[in-house]
Amino acid sequence: MEIWKWVFVGVLWYAGFVLSTGAVELGRSQHTERISGSAGDVLEDDPVGRLKVFVYELPRKYNKKILQKDPRCLTHMFAAEIFMHRFLLSSPVRTLNPDEADWFYTPVYTTCDLTTNGLPLPFKSPRMMRSAIQLISSNWPYWNRTEGADHFFVVPHDFGACFHYQEEKAIERGILPLLQRATLVQTFGQRNHVCLKDGSITVPPYAPPQKMQTHLIPEKTPRSIFVYFRGLFYDVGNDPEGGYYARGARAAVWENFKDNPLFDISTEHPATYYEDMQRAVFCLCPLGWAPWSPRLVEAVIFGCIPVIIADDIVLPFADAIPWEEIGVYVDEEDVPNLDTILTSIPPEVILRKQRLLANPSMKQAMLFPQPAQPGDAFHQVLNGLARKLPHDRSVYLRPSEKILNWTAGPVGDLKPW
């Protein structure tokens, strides 16, 4: 390897040691850098008093009974739907009077259908969601007056309300027709994509806050790893030909850098995974089946500069988190040039990104903690809902007016759930 690369890594190692940019415990007192209008101001926005949310009381089969059957749902990356429900039940924005509500929330755990290996399958989700909407439209008058335009749903699947983990099939399905007027809170976000509805609120995938907290290492630990990644490069089971998964971006990472000493990459997921991220300067966050992954959350929490490889991705809370300031964007087609791109970033730019990543409020916005804390992901969702108020009067339908087609979609979706 060229001598200048060793010099570069040495400079970063020293800078990481001096500035102590290792993992920082949430709430720990320290100097942090603010960006006006993004990293500071918006994160301190308070939705309480600006909106009221009515939570539908559904039979347990739509939520609590499903979770009781498989508690693993509490820890997978789609668990935001569960914790959002719990949060709203005790939130000061909740109202028990639906006539004064600005928003209506239907707690349906559509991702809590797990395989033996713990992977969520979305195939029953459309029927389950349709059943829940039929229930609320039959027992309350609020859905029918807008056909869901003042309702929001948490749909944290790979491709949101398209309810499929493979992009080609998700595009073919499209967003569930009954959700076309509702606001969708989802992890999926990609510009100009049929599975991203205008007005959707993009949120981070769920990453267990307590688990990450237990893996913090001393904050003065130097960042001696230049580029870090653990995960699949090929999904042989679902993409045997190897050209579709991650649109080839992960395969390109492996083929180009598996023997590069600057890159610590592997399919193995070690027990020291979280600790290793805290020792790394850059953490690769490539797309998988969907553009996003929990690595994005983990990188921010552990102060590792996220290298975002997912063309046209819509990142969570983009009005609150200055992604361009804290991360590095790399086009999928430029993956073979990753080493040149990353080693060309001036050390002072890297140090600035690390200082911004050390901002506790930015880390907090990526988490769904129990109990909720000021500025966390729950509050960012509420802020997003509050900013969409007041509802335009045009969302209210005339008596007997209908816009949505209840019989649209694949035949299988119409079966009872």
Side-chain angles (χ1 to χ4, degrees):
M1 183 178 64
E2 298 91 333
I3 187 66
W4 65 269
K5 288 186 177 179
W6 282 115
V7 173
F8 186 85
V9 174
V11 169
L12 290 174
W13 187 95
Y14 177 75
F17 179 82
V18 172
L19 290 177
S20 303
T21 53
V24 179
E25 183 176 356
L26 295 178
R28 184 179 294 171
S29 176
Q30 61 170 8
H31 171 73
T32 57
E33 186 166 344
R34 288 176 53 142
I35 297 178
S36 178
S38 54
D41 300 336
V42 179
L43 284 174
E44 294 172 1
D45 213 357
D46 186 3
V48 176
R50 292 189 289 136
L51 80 163
K52 294 182 182 296
V53 176
F54 179 76
V55 180
Y56 285 112
E57 290 285 346
L58 300 186
R60 291 171 55 89
K61 71 173 186 175
Y62 290 98
N63 42 61
K64 296 178 182 178
K65 192 172 182 180
I66 299 174
L67 177 59
Q68 187 176 31
K69 180 181 177 181
D70 200 335
R72 292 179 300 171
C73 296
L74 285 169
T75 57
H76 68 49
M77 61 184 174
F78 298 143
E81 63 180 0
I82 299 171
F83 291 110
M84 194 72 202
H85 181 202
R86 294 183 176 183
F87 164 73
L88 285 170
L89 290 177
S90 59
S91 170
V93 305
R94 183 189 182 191
T95 178
L96 300 178
N97 178 9
D99 291 321
E100 68 174 15
D102 302 302
W103 288 99
F104 296 82
Y105 166 67
T106 307
V108 186
Y109 298 171
T110 57
T111 69
C112 197
D113 181 19
L114 307 184
T115 66
T116 303
N117 294 329
L119 300 175
L121 293 177
F123 306 126
K124 296 179 183 177
S125 302
R127 293 164 51 205
M128 184 179 181
M129 186 67 77
R130 179 184 292 272
S131 173
I133 293 174
Q134 287 176 326
L135 180 67
I136 63 173
S137 65
S138 301
N139 290 278
W140 289 273
Y142 307 103
W143 171 274
N144 299 318
R145 67 186 185 182
T146 67
E147 286 198 311
D150 54 356
H151 289 55
F152 71 93
F153 295 81
V154 181
V155 284
H157 284 278
D158 283 315
F159 288 93
C162 285
F163 295 127
H164 206 286
Y165 66 92
Q166 292 182 323
E167 184 175 21
E168 184 178 16
K169 294 181 179 179
I171 292 173
E172 181 181 337
R173 288 187 56 89
I175 293 174
L176 185 71
L178 293 185
L179 296 177
Q180 291 289 346
R181 285 175 61 80
T183 287
L184 304 180
V185 177
Q186 58 187 60
T187 43
F188 172 74
Q190 183 174 316
R191 295 177 186 86
N192 304 314
H193 198 286
V194 299
C195 297
L196 180 65
K197 180 178 176 290
D198 286 344
S200 296
I201 297 174
T202 308
V203 301
Y206 178 78
Q210 292 81 3
K211 181 180 178 181
M212 290 189 289
Q213 188 81 19
T214 62
H215 286 268
L216 290 176
I217 63 178
E219 59 181 295
K220 292 187 181 296
T221 302
R223 292 187 178 270
S224 54
I225 301 171
F226 188 57
V227 181
Y228 187 75
F229 176 80
R230 291 293 185 272
L232 286 178
F233 297 98
Y234 301 91
D235 188 345
V236 178
N238 293 298
D239 181 29
E241 296 181 3
Y244 193 73
Y245 177 61
R247 297 197 283 259
R250 292 198 186 196
V253 169
W254 178 250
E255 297 301 334
N256 285 278
F257 304 110
K258 59 185 175 183
D259 297 321
N260 189 316
L262 287 176
F263 285 69
D264 187 346
I265 59 176
S266 171
T267 57
E268 297 178 1
H269 201 288
T272 58
Y273 174 69
Y274 284 151
E275 289 82 357
D276 292 343
M277 293 188 83
Q278 295 168 73
R279 297 186 181 97
V281 177
F282 294 104
C283 288
L284 300 185
C285 300
L287 72 161
W289 282 113
W292 54 272
S293 81
R295 291 176 189 81
L296 196 65
V297 178
E298 295 161 349
V300 172
I301 295 303
F302 294 130
C304 186
I305 298 171
V307 180
I308 301 159
I309 307 170
D311 293 354
D312 295 320
I313 189 173
V314 176
L315 291 165
F317 310 137
D319 57 347
I321 298 177
W323 289 105
E324 293 185 359
E325 298 285 343
I326 65 175
V328 175
Y329 290 81
V330 176
D331 291 341
E332 294 166 23
E333 66 177 8
D334 290 335
V335 166
N337 302 318
L338 258 177
D339 56 346
T340 301
I341 292 171
L342 297 180
T343 55
S344 299
I345 300 175
E348 62 269 20
V349 173
I350 290 175
L351 297 180
R352 172 172 164 77
K353 291 180 183 295
Q354 291 175 326
R355 285 196 298 269
L356 291 170
L357 280 168
N359 188 328
S361 62
M362 211 177 313
K363 300 173 187 292
Q364 191 76 301
M366 296 293 284
L367 296 174
F368 297 90
Q370 303 292 307
Q373 299 176 15
D376 61 17
F378 299 117
H379 288 84
Q380 298 308 317
V381 173
L382 296 185
N383 282 334
L385 293 171
R387 294 184 197 114
K388 293 166 70 71
L389 297 175
H391 296 297
D392 190 290
R393 297 304 302 175
S394 64
V395 305
Y396 295 94
L397 307 183
R398 296 185 298 274
S400 74
E401 181 183 5
K402 298 291 181 183
I403 296 178
L404 301 179
N405 183 352
W406 282 78
T407 61
V411 176
D413 290 358
L414 305 180
K415 296 179 181 180
W417 178 77

